[in-house]
Amino acid sequence: MMKNPIKKISILFVALFALACGDNNSDMPSDNEQLQTTGTLAIKVTDAPIDNSEVEACFVTISEVKVDGQKVEGFNKTTVDVLAYQKGETYLLGDYNLEAKAYSEVELILDHTSDASGQNPGCYIMTSDGEIHSLASSDVSVTIDGAFEVEEDTHSDIVIDFDLRKCIKSNESAGSRYSFVTKAEMESGIRLSSSSSATITGNCDELLFGSDKVIVYAYAKGTYNKDTEIQGSAQSRVVFHNAANSAACDSNGNFEMHFLNEGDYELHFMSYEQNAKGEFILKGELVVDVLNGLDLLNLSLTSESTVNINVIATGIIDF
């Protein structure tokens, strides 16, 4: 009895079609898989001034960068003199491809032993006499909190703002003349912002009081407490440690404060005198009159805004 050849052909065709569909499906993402979108993130470094005239440079060696715990691929070990990048200038660590999403922290892995060229030490202060002072520390990582977002197919940036005034301390005891502060103090002394943040510029006329240096401190509105701030931080005794930012006035009284995040701020002008060691000793807070009608205790800053403030000192509150 002759079997049905059409039925056999039909079964064979269905089997081949199923096999072909299975091969094609292997190249397609499953229901649980999504195509990852990416954007480009530029990571930059800047600095605020340090309270010591003998410090000429501060070299920091970064061996690795992590974003939300993930190593940034393509980053190469870098040594940078962060003191050389002030008044809005930045050093570009690099441009990196990251998944497009919101992030909350950046971690820097520091190399205290050797710099990017293999020379010892990796992190150090150079003073005006040409001497090198190691900044060795038992802590090798610094985590900086700050929300930012990488958008799909977009170039964005973050600025790592070192405040060396908060991050470095002088040592009275034998050994290195300078050292990093504690890990907790380092992490509070470094901020994350973006190039589109706010800027404050201005001038302080204080010729009547003969300050060797005037430093302007910006605080989040309502957070300044004189007794707490002049006493210094609990561990390293860094004064004005809760300031969001600071800037030194130049010989003409001009100052610039960059990369301030959006918010409400208050400004305080402090007078310093220089001792025989080149260190600046706090004299007191200047009493100032604002020449352009702004309220120094209530400055509202928006992203990308620039505020210019001109003041004249009319008195000093001694500390």
Side-chain angles (χ1 to χ4, degrees), residues 300-316:
S300 294
L301 302 180
T302 59
S303 179
E304 301 185 15
S305 66
T306 298
V307 176
N308 184 261
I309 296 171
N310 297 308
V311 303
I312 183 168
T314 59
I316 185 170

Side-chain angles (χ1 to χ4, degrees), residues 11 19 26 33-34 62 68 87 116 119 135 142 146 164 168 185 196 208 223 236 241-242 258 271 298 313 319:
I11 294 173
L19 180 62
S26 66
E33 293 177 336
Q34 294 182 353
I62 304 169
D68 281 9
K87 296 183 178 181
Q119 300 297 310
L135 289 172
V142 179
L164 290 182
I168 307 296
E185 290 171 315
S196 61
L208 294 175
T223 63
S236 299
H241 59 287
N242 289 314
H258 296 265
S271 173
N298 188 19
F319 290 155

Side-chain angles (χ1 to χ4, degrees), residues 18-304:
L19 180 62
C21 290
D23 288 342
N24 288 338
N25 286 338
S26 66
D27 295 329
M28 299 293 291
S30 67
D31 291 340
N32 295 325
E33 293 177 336
Q34 294 182 353
L35 294 177
Q36 186 182 87
T37 58
T38 62
T40 303
L41 179 70
I43 303 178
K44 304 175 182 179
V45 169
T46 191
D47 175 48
I50 190 170
D51 300 347
N52 197 317
S53 62
E54 75 167 0
V55 174
E56 292 288 326
C58 179
F59 289 90
V60 175
T61 297
I62 304 169
S63 61
E64 190 174 306
V65 177
K66 296 181 180 180
V67 176
D68 281 9
Q70 297 298 311
K71 179 179 177 181
V72 173
E73 298 298 332
F75 175 80
N76 296 314
K77 184 176 180 179
T78 301
T79 300
V80 55
D81 175 14
V82 293
L83 196 60
Y85 299 91
Q86 299 184 26
K87 296 183 178 181
E89 294 187 12
T90 59
Y91 177 86
L92 177 65
L93 291 177
D95 293 297
Y96 306 99
N97 233 16
L98 297 180
E99 181 181 357
K101 64 176 186 177
Y103 295 90
S104 61
E105 68 176 35
V106 173
E107 182 181 2
L108 303 180
I109 310 300
L110 305 182
D111 190 332
H112 302 291
T113 304
S114 62
D115 63 16
S117 62
Q119 300 297 310
N120 180 271
C123 299
Y124 58 93
I125 288 285
M126 180 180 290
T127 49
S128 53
D129 57 7
E131 292 293 318
I132 289 176
H133 307 272
S134 173
L135 289 172
S137 172
S138 58
D139 298 313
V140 297
S141 70
V142 179
T143 301
I144 313 128
D145 294 328
F148 62 95
E149 188 167 356
V150 176
E151 298 183 3
E152 181 181 356
D153 297 328
T154 300
H155 187 278
S156 54
D157 66 52
I158 54 172
V159 179
I160 301 172
D161 190 353
F162 282 82
D163 192 338
L164 290 182
R165 183 186 65 79
K166 296 181 181 181
C167 296
I168 307 296
K169 66 175 182 177
S170 299
N171 295 321
E172 298 295 335
S173 59
S176 180
R177 194 186 307 178
Y178 298 94
S179 64
F180 283 123
V181 295
T182 65
K183 178 181 175 69
E185 290 171 315
M186 280 277 286
E187 292 178 341
S188 67
I190 306 175
R191 300 183 305 116
L192 280 187
S193 59
S194 70
S195 295
S196 61
S197 299
T199 299
I200 297 176
T201 62
N203 179 272
C204 176
D205 181 352
E206 58 78 55
L207 294 177
L208 294 175
F209 301 94
S211 303
D212 291 322
K213 178 175 283 190
V214 173
I215 298 181
V216 189
Y217 296 97
Y219 282 80
K221 181 182 175 182
T223 63
Y224 174 72
N225 180 294
K226 184 197 75 173
D227 294 335
T228 300
E229 295 304 289
I230 65 175
Q231 179 180 336
S233 59
Q235 293 159 305
S236 299
R237 316 308 298 173
V238 175
V239 296
F240 305 110
H241 59 287
N242 289 314
N245 208 335
S246 64
C249 295
D250 64 19
S251 58
N252 295 315
N254 298 315
F255 66 90
E256 299 177 23
M257 204 177 295
H258 296 265
F259 307 117
L260 286 156
N261 292 322
E262 186 172 320
D264 296 330
Y265 293 87
E266 57 183 90
L267 297 187
H268 296 271
F269 292 75
M270 300 297 166
S271 173
Y272 289 80
E273 59 185 356
Q274 191 173 12
N275 66 14
K277 296 180 181 179
E279 300 168 330
F280 288 99
I281 308 302
L282 179 64
K283 290 173 60 179
E285 180 171 3
L286 293 172
V287 178
V288 299
D289 285 342
V290 184
L291 302 180
N292 49 357
L294 296 173
D295 184 354
L296 295 185
L297 299 181
N298 188 19
L299 292 173
S300 294
L301 302 180
T302 59
S303 179
E304 301 185 15

